[in-house]
Amino acid sequence: MRVKYNQSSVDYIDQNFKNQLTLADFSNKNNTFLNENKEFYLEIGPGKGNFIIQLASKNLDKNFIVVELNKTIAGYCLKKIDESNLTNIKLLAMDFYKMVEVIRPSFFDGIFLNFSDPWPKKRHTKRRLTSDDFFVAYNKILKLNHNIYFKSDNSDFYNFSYDQAKKFDYEIIYNNLDYKEDDNFDSLTEYENKFLNKGINIKRFICKKVRENLIMLNKLEEKYFKEVTQLFGPSGAEDEVREYLKKEFKKMNFETIKDGLGSIFAIKKSKNLNAKKVMICAHMDEVGFYVGNILSNGMIKPIPVGGFNYNSLQAQRVILLNKNNEKLIGAIDTTPPHLLGSSNGQVSADNLLFDFGFSSLEDAKKANVEIGCPIICKGDFEYTYDKKSIISKAIDDRYGIILGLIILNELKDIDLPFDLYVGGTVQEEVGCRGAGTASTMIKPDLAIVLDCSPARDSLGSNGQLGILGKGVLIRYFDRSFIANKKLLDLQIESCKQTNSNYQYFDSPGGTDAGVIHKNLDGILTLTHCICARSIHTCSTVMRISDYIDARNSILYLIKNLNNEKIEGLSE
């Protein structure tokens, strides 16, 4: 609703407080309205208040709150509420998001969105009351198995909002494209009456919140995934990842330590004397290459670093970091099908060639390329069509690096009974080398390894272990590590307590846990992994729900860990 500024309406808001709420009221236990044992319903953008007043008068056993930022509109609405003499409506004249910050979770029994501005231009999408940010907020303040009630005359906005509800896993329980108020729990708005009189169809849907936790990244997590997956960091050249972590640790005011190989950790010290040490690590490196030779025609002969399915490499874009730290884009040479001959196009380390456009060895040298320069495959961050999965390079193991940063963000203001070390190790893909030096430096009483393992479900589950969307891997066995049963029980309990999915997993491969648990005189070690498809390629596919399950369960585990529990795990 767009109206001209009206000073008398603004004055009314500033002078009449009987039916107004403030942010302070939401934490005031003596506020009789907010602490009544009633159902609470919210309308965002109430217009002049016709709808909410009619609905409240028909439902005196329920309480209603309206939120309106525009003080002119809020003044019109408040005046009508005052004149109605109803005691079950209150108005909050401020930004909706400010209320979300202070209100307790799952407060409302229902939310009404009636004829809100469709903001038709694409650049204004975020202003729509059904945009991503609003749905995230609704999910926080709406009770489980309760509804959002949506009405509009605008077909494009209606379709957008309907799709948004489904995107956020809300169940559509009612959908009517020619609505005529056939629901007792509804009333006509002033706009609705005008539209009906003009013969304009009203569209209405009701959607139910059926999940407590949204399957989506928050803003910080999305930022990290978009940035951290794209950092340059093959084994032995993790500098860019290390510098990123160093800056993030500094932003959060954590002390930083680094071992001789380049592994880096933030330290969160406990106030307790003789506190145990808990180490959470992920490896910074990704699979990649080094320049092994530069041919006379300028082609690059690479040395692989880490494990590859070489047939996945054909025609991929690659990035080379020259000796001046400049990034050069190239491509992996591929033979066209009509010239294959007897080789049948099979790619191996022996016939792999990279093309950076050089015409000679001298050209390459002029571009500051020399033997030993590191190379990675280019793999941009993308969402899948439904935003429920991510495609990118280096999910193994930037997933773990990102989760470590989120752990620090979540726990930075919480006192822990143990010293917490969170960070990244180097050279995991070539033998878990940083895991050994980092754990020697920290000497943890408990180590938790965050990593990403290969899914085995591309042809369907078929009894295979490692299925996308099935949650945390309870990794009880791999070629270098047999898990501690008590730690697995603790991990499973954390998953259960947070309603996080989990699945049992074994692997012919290994993680940093294989080195850490054998270090010193033996270190209690747990892996907290997820799986992804096509790891060690530029197009790894990861389910966001698996990351969320891993995040929620590890945070619960850490928050409920203490020195006595750590001691008990080794008994």
Side-chain angles (χ1 to χ4, degrees):
M1 180 180 181
R2 297 180 185 179
V3 296
K4 292 182 179 179
Y5 179 85
N6 185 292
Q7 186 61 53
S8 63
S9 184
V10 172
D11 290 342
Y12 194 88
I13 278 285
D14 293 336
Q15 296 166 10
N16 296 272
F17 305 104
K18 182 178 74 170
N19 288 314
Q20 283 197 68
L21 290 173
T22 67
L23 293 181
D25 291 326
F26 288 93
S27 57
N28 183 0
K29 294 181 179 179
N30 296 319
N31 185 291
T32 54
F33 177 82
L34 290 173
N35 289 287
E36 280 189 283
N37 187 24
K38 287 184 177 181
E39 293 180 359
F40 280 84
Y41 291 83
L42 172 70
E43 185 186 17
I44 305 171
K48 293 182 179 179
N50 290 1
F51 169 84
I52 205 70
I53 289 168
Q54 291 180 53
L55 192 63
S57 66
K58 293 189 292 185
N59 296 273
L60 297 175
D61 60 330
K62 299 174 175 61
N63 280 349
F64 297 86
I65 296 174
V66 292
V67 177
E68 176 57 63
L69 178 60
N70 185 299
K71 292 186 81 171
T72 295
I73 300 172
Y76 290 143
C77 183
L78 181 63
K79 192 168 189 294
K80 284 202 168 187
I81 292 171
D82 289 344
E83 290 170 351
S84 74
N85 292 317
L86 290 167
T87 60
N88 61 334
I89 313 176
K90 299 293 180 188
L91 180 139
L92 189 64
M94 64 177 57
D95 185 358
F96 163 74
Y97 288 114
K98 289 185 177 179
M99 180 196 72
V100 173
E101 289 175 3
V102 299
I103 199 168
R104 71 173 181 267
S106 302
F107 182 85
F108 288 106
D109 295 88
I111 298 172
F112 292 95
L113 306 174
N114 295 316
F115 301 96
S116 52
D117 194 326
W119 293 105
K121 294 181 180 179
K122 190 172 182 180
R123 69 176 183 269
H124 294 149
T125 300
K126 286 191 173 184
R127 299 183 186 181
R128 298 171 190 166
L129 292 190
T130 50
S131 67
D132 286 2
D133 288 347
F134 276 101
F135 255 103
V136 170
Y138 300 153
N139 211 69
K140 176 184 175 183
I141 64 177
L142 183 64
K143 289 178 180 175
L144 190 65
N145 295 318
H146 285 67
N147 303 330
I148 295 174
Y149 304 82
F150 178 91
K151 283 195 288 189
S152 180
D153 64 303
N154 186 297
S155 296
D156 290 341
F157 182 43
Y158 184 86
N159 292 334
F160 170 84
S161 301
Y162 184 94
D163 290 343
Q164 284 289 100
K166 298 199 78 173
K167 169 184 167 181
F168 282 85
D169 287 324
Y170 277 62
E171 179 186 344
I172 306 294
I173 61 174
Y174 178 90
N175 183 32
N176 192 335
L177 300 180
D178 189 14
Y179 178 68
K180 300 260 189 329
E181 197 188 2
D182 55 5
D183 181 355
N184 287 330
F185 198 51
D186 190 32
S187 291
L188 294 177
T189 71
E190 53 266 35
Y191 275 105
E192 197 167 356
N193 279 312
K194 290 178 184 178
F195 295 145
L196 289 172
N197 290 334
K198 291 180 179 180
I200 298 173
N201 285 2
I202 305 302
K203 302 156 190 68
R204 187 184 194 226
F205 71 76
I206 304 172
C207 59
K208 182 195 292 186
K209 173 184 169 180
V210 293
R211 283 182 61 96
E212 198 61 68
N213 296 314
L214 291 175
I215 306 175
M216 67 178 300
L217 304 174
N218 63 38
K219 286 183 178 180
L220 181 60
E221 290 168 329
E222 183 179 60
K223 174 183 180 291
Y224 281 153
F225 269 100
K226 286 181 176 180
E227 293 177 356
V228 175
T229 58
Q230 299 308 297
L231 296 174
F232 187 99
S235 301
E238 301 93 343
D239 308 66
E240 196 169 286
V241 187
R242 181 167 48 252
E243 285 305 307
Y244 188 98
L245 287 179
K246 188 176 179 180
K247 288 177 183 176
E248 292 301 307
F249 295 162
K250 187 176 180 179
K251 285 180 190 176
M252 292 183 269
N253 297 314
F254 286 116
E255 177 189 344
T256 301
I257 56 171
K258 186 165 72 76
D259 69 15
L261 288 187
S263 300
I264 186 170
F265 284 80
I267 309 173
K268 178 177 171 57
K269 284 284 189 179
S270 173
K271 294 177 181 177
N272 292 359
L273 296 174
N274 302 315
K276 299 287 187 182
K277 294 181 181 179
V278 174
M279 169 184 171
I280 299 177
C281 68
H283 64 87
M284 295 185 285
D285 58 316
E286 60 191 296
V287 293
F289 308 88
Y290 282 91
V291 175
N293 195 9
I294 306 172
L295 305 185
S296 60
N297 63 356
M299 298 291 275
I300 300 290
K301 184 71 179 168
I303 297 173
V305 180
F308 286 97
N309 177 342
Y310 289 101
N311 286 314
S312 73
L313 296 174
Q314 296 187 70
Q316 296 295 332
R317 303 281 175 92
V318 287
I319 304 170
L320 181 151
L321 191 70
N322 71 10
K323 63 182 182 180
N324 289 348
N325 287 322
E326 299 164 328
K327 291 178 181 176
L328 311 182
I329 301 294
I332 299 178
D333 184 55
T334 303
T335 306
H338 47 287
L339 298 178
L340 286 176
S342 60
S343 71
N344 294 319
Q346 291 298 310
V347 181
S348 68
D350 294 331
N351 61 12
L352 202 59
L353 288 173
F354 290 0
D355 188 348
F356 289 89
F358 308 133
S359 58
S360 65
L361 171 61
E362 288 71 28
D363 273 354
K365 288 182 176 179
K366 285 177 184 177
N368 297 304
V369 175
E370 59 185 18
I371 291 173
C373 284
I375 305 170
I376 61 169
C377 287
K378 189 175 188 294
D380 295 342
F381 172 96
E382 300 283 355
Y383 281 112
T384 54
Y385 78 100
D386 56 2
K387 276 199 158 186
K388 292 183 179 178
S389 300
I390 286 169
I391 303 173
S392 177
K393 76 171 186 70
I395 295 294
D396 174 16
D397 182 31
R398 305 296 163 74
Y399 140 79
I401 294 295
I402 292 162
L403 183 51
L405 288 170
I406 292 299
I407 289 168
L408 287 172
N409 268 281
E410 289 286 330
L411 301 180
K412 62 186 177 185
D413 297 320
I414 298 175
D415 290 333
L416 297 173
F418 48 83
D419 294 340
L420 181 64
Y421 295 75
V422 181
T425 59
V426 297
Q427 301 186 40
E428 189 269 356
E429 298 292 358
V430 290
C432 304
R433 297 168 185 173
T437 53
S439 55
T440 299
M441 172 181 67
I442 295 169
K443 297 179 175 57
D445 298 284
L446 170 64
I448 301 175
V449 175
L450 310 175
D451 209 340
C452 184
S453 300
R456 306 175 199 164
D457 65 343
S458 295
L459 298 176
S461 57
N462 296 322
Q464 293 283 354
L465 303 178
I467 301 171
L468 261 65
K470 295 297 183 181
V472 179
L473 302 183
I474 308 301
R475 190 180 180 120
Y476 59 91
F477 175 86
D478 63 39
R479 74 177 180 204
S480 63
F481 175 70
I482 299 174
N484 177 296
K485 182 65 169 60
K486 290 181 180 179
L487 273 171
L488 290 184
D489 289 343
L490 193 65
Q491 185 180 35
I492 291 168
E493 181 61 23
S494 298
C495 289
K496 288 179 177 178
Q497 289 296 326
T498 54
N499 294 315
S500 299
N501 294 311
Y502 64 92
Q503 56 183 313
Y504 288 93
F505 188 80
D506 61 45
S507 176
T511 71
D512 276 344
V515 168
I516 293 171
H517 85 289
K518 297 185 297 182
N519 200 13
L520 304 173
D521 58 350
I523 298 170
L524 278 169
T525 306
L526 174 70
T527 63
H528 198 73
C529 304
I530 62 171
C531 63
R533 292 183 188 142
S534 304
I535 68 167
H536 290 200
T537 74
C538 62
S539 298
T540 299
V541 180
M542 183 201 86
R543 284 281 192 275
I544 291 173
S545 63
D546 291 333
Y547 163 79
I548 290 171
D549 286 335
R551 177 198 67 198
N552 292 345
S553 53
I554 190 70
L555 284 170
Y556 179 89
L557 190 155
I558 297 166
K559 289 176 182 178
N560 289 276
L561 195 62
N562 56 45
N563 294 322
E564 291 72 27
K565 273 189 182 179
I566 295 171
E567 284 186 2
L569 291 168
S570 59
E571 290 177 352

